[in-house]
Amino acid sequence: MKIMLFGATGMVGQGVLRECLVDGDVTRVLCVGRKPTGQEHPKLSELIVPDMYDYSAVEDRLSGFDACFFCLGVSSVGMNEADYRRVTYDLTLAAAQPLARLNPQMTFIYVSGAGTDSTERGPSMWARVKGATENALMRLPFRAAYMFRPGFIEPMHGVRSKTALYQAAYVIAKPVFGLLRRWAPNRVTTSVQVGRAMLVAAKRGAPMPLVEVPDINALR
């Protein structure tokens, strides 16, 4: 299986990349991004794209893939809706549209978030934008498209957030994750389980297009 991965340097993407590299069914991983991952592996290749709103110059390298794991994302804190939509909806569709045309048999998996608003009309700005992004992706002619909606993600195997504040929060919260798994198992998962669940969905599918935390934890 050949995988394309966006956002490999982020916290979720780091975990997904690790699971792809250790999975025996994965023969190649192409990481697409603005800068290198800094990792080396026989399965790993990289495509540096300075303008991630325009893939016309690199389309010859975007075909022949079985699945795309789209793990790019930013916090909406301090952003207005227009700016957040550009770096969420516009950025995602800029990649997904040519991929759907070049890889009609591809499974596309998008990392959204718990609480995303599929109606696109709720009071939460980020949830509306994420909902619009999900809906647009599910209309594209992929073989299958799954919207992963993780909640709290416990980073494993040295996975770190690039945002210093978030990383500090994860360090502080580390002793609490065990309690969360016991008391609120439907709200917490791990970077390992997210990556493995994506691989399972790419290989065998998932029950529903919207994949909530319990569904992520159940995909094995």
Side-chain angles (χ1 to χ4, degrees), residues 204-218:
R204 302 193 291 272
M208 298 292 290
L210 303 181
V211 185
E212 306 283 355
V213 177
D215 308 309
I216 292 172
N217 291 336

Side-chain angles (χ1 to χ4, degrees), residues 1-50:
M1 188 164 60
K2 297 177 181 178
I3 305 292
M4 187 180 298
L5 174 60
F6 288 77
T9 61
M11 193 201 78
V12 175
Q14 290 173 50
V16 172
L17 175 57
R18 179 190 180 276
E19 297 311 310
C20 288
L21 294 178
V22 301
D23 189 288
D25 293 328
V26 176
T27 57
R28 182 189 176 201
V29 182
L30 176 67
C31 290
V32 182
R34 292 192 182 96
K35 60 183 181 179
T37 64
Q39 298 193 45
E40 293 185 3
H41 192 280
K43 295 182 184 180
L44 178 63
S45 57
E46 304 197 39
L47 177 60
I48 305 304
V49 182

Side-chain angles (χ1 to χ4, degrees), residues 64-127:
F65 289 86
D66 302 295
C68 175
F69 300 158
F70 200 92
C71 304
L72 277 176
V74 298
S75 170
S76 64
V77 175
M79 300 183 72
N80 62 45
E81 186 160 351
D83 289 342
Y84 185 67
R85 185 180 178 89
R86 175 163 170 75
V87 298
T88 301
Y89 181 97
D90 294 350
L91 186 72
T92 305
L93 271 293
Q97 287 168 340
L99 289 179
R101 172 169 49 83
L102 295 166
N103 302 274
Q105 294 304 307
M106 171 181 278
T107 294
F108 192 97
I109 298 180
Y110 174 64
V111 178
S112 186
T116 293
D117 177 15
S118 296
T119 72
E120 305 178 35
R121 296 191 297 269
S124 173
M125 180 272 283
W126 76 264

Side-chain angles (χ1 to χ4, degrees), residues 123-175:
S124 173
M125 180 272 283
W126 76 264
R128 289 195 305 270
V129 173
K130 286 281 193 180
T133 307
E134 289 184 348
N135 291 338
L137 290 171
M138 289 188 287
R139 289 193 292 267
L140 292 177
F142 290 112
R143 180 175 70 88
Y146 298 107
M147 310 296 116
F148 272 45
R149 293 177 165 185
F152 295 105
I153 301 175
E154 180 180 5
M156 309 286 284
H157 300 296
V159 167
R160 296 176 60 86
S161 173
K162 294 187 297 182
T163 304
L165 181 60
Y166 289 175
Q167 179 58 32
Y170 284 121
V171 171
I172 294 170
K174 186 173 179 60

